[in-house]
């Protein structure tokens, strides 16, 4: 595609996306890209800006989540945002260190209602059939004949070796989730959502990130979902965590993992934690990679084919 065609298609999809949310009584909002602290996740590295304001350090946001949740606490109601976000170390066919993220939140909804809306958006933009669903646990049982909630690290390591999955140089071998992520990324993901989008839901509680945890018998489930289409991860949704003390605990746990893996410890977003004391309304939210959505809509293979400018052009 030539440059003009790329710009026209991006503009068309952005316009259609906005129309989708406007028709559902969402408000489009904007929140700052600069932040003094981080909603810490142990595998996501933000860019730090040194001495930006009288010697104070800031971060570029990796998601507009913190600002949007602060608006929800203040009574915004349903909101969405199309935002440029920044993450270190993400360059590849479907990765760029700067990219466009579509994020939205609906107070009063649980994950099932939000999954239905995500499916409707994909049907609208991609012209696909309604999405399929499978639980994280059933996917592993059906495809790999192993229970991801109870399998030992030795069992998971043996399965990784069986499928000839390459180990990253800094692989944290004592971390069960790292082994599970290798199996998802290299063995299962390439075949996910071949014919229509696929929701993967009910993750292990250790992978809940900022989602609520549901207990069933002896198992704990993180109430989150991801969507895959043609082997590409499109979005990540949560039944949002509400307890400010639990947010702090999870940030601290993520920093502990970061230090164990040789990553930088990140400063917590204290302003976010302070506002969460007023309690986030019960809600669900999701973040979707808009550049990847455009890639799939245009049936391309690489983000370089659908972005007018990439990191290589900077």
């Amino acid at each position: 595609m030539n440059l003009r065609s790329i710009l026209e298609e991006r503009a068309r999809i952005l316009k259609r996306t906005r129309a989708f949310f406007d028709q559902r009584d969402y408000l489009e909002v904007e929140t700052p890209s600069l932040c003094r602290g981080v909603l810490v996740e142990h595998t996501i590295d933000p860019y730090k800006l040194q001495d930006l304001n009288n010697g104070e350090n800031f971060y570029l946001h990796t998601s507009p989540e913190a600002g949007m949740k602060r608006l929800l606490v203040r009574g915004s109601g349903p909101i969405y945002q199309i935002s440029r976000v920044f993450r270190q170390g993400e360059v590849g066919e479907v990765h760029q260190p700067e990219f466009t993220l579509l994020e939205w939140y609906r107070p009063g909804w649980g994950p099932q209602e939000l999954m239905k809306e995500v499916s409707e958006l994909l049907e609208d933009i991609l012209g696909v059939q309604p999405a399929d669903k499978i639980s994280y646990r059933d996917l592993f049982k059906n495809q790999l004949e192993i229970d991801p909630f109870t399998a030992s690290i030795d069992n998971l390591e043996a399965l990784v070796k069986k499928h000839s999955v390459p180990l990253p140089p800094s692989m944290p071998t004592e971390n069960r989730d790292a082994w599970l992520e290798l199996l998802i990324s290299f063995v299962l993901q390439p075949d996910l959502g071949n014919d229509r989008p696929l929701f993967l839901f009910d993750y292990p509680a250790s992978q809940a990130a900022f989602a609520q945890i549901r207990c069933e018998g002896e198992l704990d489930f993180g109430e989150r979902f991801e969507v895959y289409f043609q082997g590409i991860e499109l979005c990540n949704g949560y039944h949002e965590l509400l307890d400010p003390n639990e947010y702090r605990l999870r940030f601290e746990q993520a920093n502990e993992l970061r230090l164990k893996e040789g990553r930088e410890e990140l400063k917590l977003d204290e302003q976010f934690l302070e506002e969460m004391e007023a309690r986030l309304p019960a809600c669900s939210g999701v973040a979707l990679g808009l550049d990847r959505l455009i890639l799939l809509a245009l049936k391309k293979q690489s983000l370089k084919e659908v972005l007018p400018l990439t990191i290589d052009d900077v």
Side-chain angles (χ1 to χ4, degrees), residues 10 13 35 52 58 61 64-65 81 86 112 133 153 157 167 169 207 209 216 222 235 256 281 283 298 308-309:
R10 288 186 66 87
I13 291 172
C35 47
L52 188 66
F58 284 76
H61 70 174
E65 178 176 359
Q81 182 168 185
F86 308 85
Q112 294 299 325
K133 297 178 184 177
I153 287 179
E157 182 177 3
L167 295 186
Q207 298 180 34
E216 291 186 8
C235 66
E256 288 175 8
C283 64
L298 302 184
L309 296 169

Side-chain angles (χ1 to χ4, degrees), residues 296-307:
L296 289 165
L298 302 184
K299 297 179 170 55
K300 300 300 182 181
Q301 301 298 314
S302 169
L303 290 180
K304 292 181 180 180
E305 298 178 85
V306 300
L307 290 172

Side-chain angles (χ1 to χ4, degrees), residues 211 213 241-251 253 273:
I213 292 175
L241 181 65
L242 306 178
D243 184 348
N245 296 322
E246 183 65 19
Y247 271 110
R248 182 179 293 277
L249 177 62
R250 293 192 194 179
F251 295 163
Q253 290 172 338
L273 290 168

